[in-house]
Amino acid sequence: MNLSDNRLINDRAREFLTEHRESIYRRTDRMFAWLMVFQWIVGLTVAAWVSPYAWAGRTHYVHPHIWSAVILGGLICSLPTFLAIYLPGRAITRQTIAIGQALVSSLLIHLMGGRIEAHFHVFGSLAFLAFYRDWKVLATATFVIAADHMVRGIYWPESIYGITSIGWQRSLEHIAWVSFEDVFLFYSIWVSCKEMTIIANRRSEMEQMQVEVEREVTDRTREIELQRLVLQESHERLERQTAELRRAIEASEGANRAKSAFLANMSHEIRTPLTAILGFADVLLETGDIKKAPADRVDAIETIRRNGSHLIALINDVLDLSKIEAGKFQVENLPCSLHRLIGDLKHLMQVRAEEKKLSINIHYDGPIPEMILTDPTRLRQILMNLLSNAIKFTQEGEVSISVTLVGKREDRKIQIDVKDTGLGISDEMREKLFHPFTQADGSMSRRFGGTGLGLTISRRFAQLLGGDLEILETSSAGSTFRLRIDPGPLQNVELHEPNEQKIEKPAQVKPAPASKEVLKDLHILLVEDGPDNQRLIQFLLKKAGATVELAENGQIGYDKATQTDQPFDVILMDMQMPIMDGYTAASKLRADGYGGPIIALTAHAMAEDRNRCVEAGCTDYSTKPVDRTKLIELIRFHAQAASV
Amino acid sequence: MQTSTHFGSQTSGEDALIEPSRWTFRALWLPLVVVVWATLIGAGMVGLMVYHNSPGARSDGNPVWQENPLVALDTSRDNLLVFIHPKCPCSQATLSELARIQADCGDRLRIGIAVYQPDEENWSDTPVVRQALDIPKAHVFADPNGELATLFGAETSGHVMLFSTQGIRTFSGGITPGRGHEGNSLGREAIRQYVSQNEIICDTTHVYGCPIVDRPSAGLTGNEELRRELE
């Protein structure tokens, strides 16, 4: 019988079935080994109990039943027991046991006087033999029982059936009853073997399944190990890349620091000569009777001033962009009147517009906040850039500014549209305009000037102010730039709609008092290493009425400040000097108790430079190139403050 | 490569070099042992059956009731007189069969059990005697030195004699199918048939048991005596 369609499973199932049967045979053999010995002892006991002696009057002798139990019983039990112990599992062993068990039944029935109850041993023995689950064993035992009955029925019919004639029928009847039990036992064995077959098949299938599972697990484990190795390699590669990236970042940061240092130095190195250039250009324009000078000379001086100013603007833009890209640019949040700021800008740009016969119109769409919270310097810078561009690229027509408050509640923005009637911008250049050093085309710079940084910086400023800058529309009829900024919280801010016609004109700056009177009687120490700047600043200060002493470096300045009998009212201290720089000199002066104002002069224009000066002990700060008016006003202010 | 023979002996490639006679011996020694074993047992069983079916001696010459001081003839019903040796284990089967007869026949049968009692022994409380006393309405009495048995001609324990109301013996023999063996027997059927139907189907059977008295027999086996009597 095939156990399974799978030959592998089928073969293995046969092995399991054989193994199971062997196990049953061996187990049952062992059981019968004990049973045989036990039955022998029982036979002896029964014989000794029932018929220990045979008698003849008063004499007696050992009953033949005792000898039968000892010798015949021992003989019956010996071989099955021996085979069960030494040759378990063999077919001949269980067949011998079957013969022996049937004979034991016969002997025990005899020793127990043929009692009908003793005959149950036969049926019990057959049931016991069925434990082998081997029908041949039952057949053998049945054959022995049948033979016993047939022989007795033929030769001693009266002793077994109580009749004198040959007991064929009675023998067959007895055999039939035994066979009757065999039928059930055979059926039981058949069912049991069938179940064993099913169990073997299941075991085989399970084993096969286990093998497949183990193989699968092994494969998976190998795959996982491979994946782990791949992951480990990826991890190591990632770590290497991270390390490389870290080194790259460090290198980048180093390069950034170097760039910042380079920019600072470049700024310093350019500003320093520019101070002299612009300053002396001013001197040339202001000294003597300039009106009598030839026009081309004046034009040459103006050209020097204009290009110097352009160079300063360029440096300022580069510094701003550098700080923005480094993420170091910080905007302020100050209350600011928007309509006033726009009005100031209009007036400021009005001159340039009128030069090109353009008009600047301001229009307010709805009410706007009276005050907003923003960085007015940067907002002014953005709007000035937009207006400057609009005027620059518009040949005729007008430049209009439209201001409105848009958005709802928390997301309200100030929207400023700057519209011109210029030549427009091509679509492909719309976004490029916001990239650094990009203009509409290469010829623009030549035609209109500019650095190409204005819109880039303006957009970055707009983003820093919580908004954005974009080109709303552009065509050959003109362009519209839209600026949006965050006005800050508006809960308690009054909204109003300004009338552009009634915008107050910016207060006229009072003319500064005559330069000769401003710094009169002030004793000023100028600590400056550059001879050009020494002469320029000394010239400006003396022209303003001050008495000036010079020191070439910080050490000399420190010495003069500490050793003079007449204390200086103000010390102008250049910060970059040989031998001893301004920071050290200022610190030492403060440490020695000098309480007068020390105004730092430096070509470093970064915000952190100002902080560094203040930390060193300087009262205030002025950048190079020197703005003459501002410098003199600064000196005057601090001199007065110190004297109060 | 190993192969397994029918009888489990292991063979290998070396077996090809083994002489055929040795191979045959290795293959057949166990069946031979089993055959010898079975033969010995068969012989033993035959011997046991021979012993089991060997009848005891008998000399039942008088076919009528013998007057005696121990037991009187009951003229109102049939009389069954049983002779037993109190130590004979084979007689326990006789008493079991007797109990069945008593159960079947009841008061129609008077049962007297004569228990051999030698002067030198006190065998009044043996398992056989107790079993006899347990048979309902059976009259158990001692037979000093087996004199009554001798009087009636019973020499083997388990000898049963049935007398009619007139004292005529209608049956004499054993009521077991073999020595110490219970079961259907001609003797039991003959007694039941006579008591119930007054019909004699068999008047003599073999007696299986121990000799009642310790004396040499006439030198004849029960079978020979019976055969002589029948002749």
Side-chain angles (χ1 to χ4, degrees), chain A residues 575-588:
Chain A
M575 305 311 285
Q576 295 291 331
M577 290 181 293
I579 302 176
M580 179 185 286
D581 61 18
Y583 302 107
T584 309
S587 298
K588 289 184 70 175

Side-chain angles (χ1 to χ4, degrees), chain A residues 50-51 53 55-59 63-64 68 72 75-76 79 90 92 103 106 110 113-114 152 156 158-159 162 164, chain B residues 7-8 30 37 40-41 45 48-49 51-53 85 87 89 118 120 123 177 180-182 184 186 210-212 214:
Chain A
V50 174
S51 52
Y53 298 109
W55 289 81
R58 291 189 301 151
T59 62
H63 198 285
S68 298
L72 193 55
L75 189 62
I76 291 171
L79 187 61
R90 304 281 181 85
I92 197 168
L103 293 172
S106 176
H110 188 86
R152 288 171 191 257
W156 300 285
E158 188 182 355
S159 73
T164 54
Chain B
F7 300 113
L30 196 52
W37 170 74
L40 289 174
I41 291 172
M45 292 297 281
L48 187 60
M49 290 307 298
Y51 168 76
H52 175 76
N53 290 285
H85 189 293
K87 291 281 190 178
E120 297 83 1
W123 289 347
H181 209 105
E182 294 181 26
N184 293 333
L186 276 174
C210 300
I212 296 175
D214 185 15

Side-chain angles (χ1 to χ4, degrees), chain A residues 266-327:
Chain A
M266 184 195 74
S267 170
H268 179 266
E269 295 304 322
I270 292 174
R271 283 172 188 272
T272 301
L274 275 175
T275 303
I277 292 169
L278 291 174
F280 281 111
D282 286 341
V283 169
L284 287 174
L285 286 174
E286 292 176 8
T287 56
D289 192 356
I290 195 63
K291 292 178 181 176
K292 294 180 179 177
D296 55 348
R297 184 180 300 168
V298 175
D299 187 50
I301 296 171
E302 287 289 349
T303 302
I304 292 170
R305 286 191 74 242
R306 190 169 62 251
N307 283 282
S309 298
H310 176 72
L311 201 54
I312 289 295
L314 177 62
I315 291 168
N316 287 338
D317 283 351
V318 169
L319 287 178
D320 285 346
L321 185 63
S322 173
K323 282 189 284 187
I324 289 168
E325 290 186 340

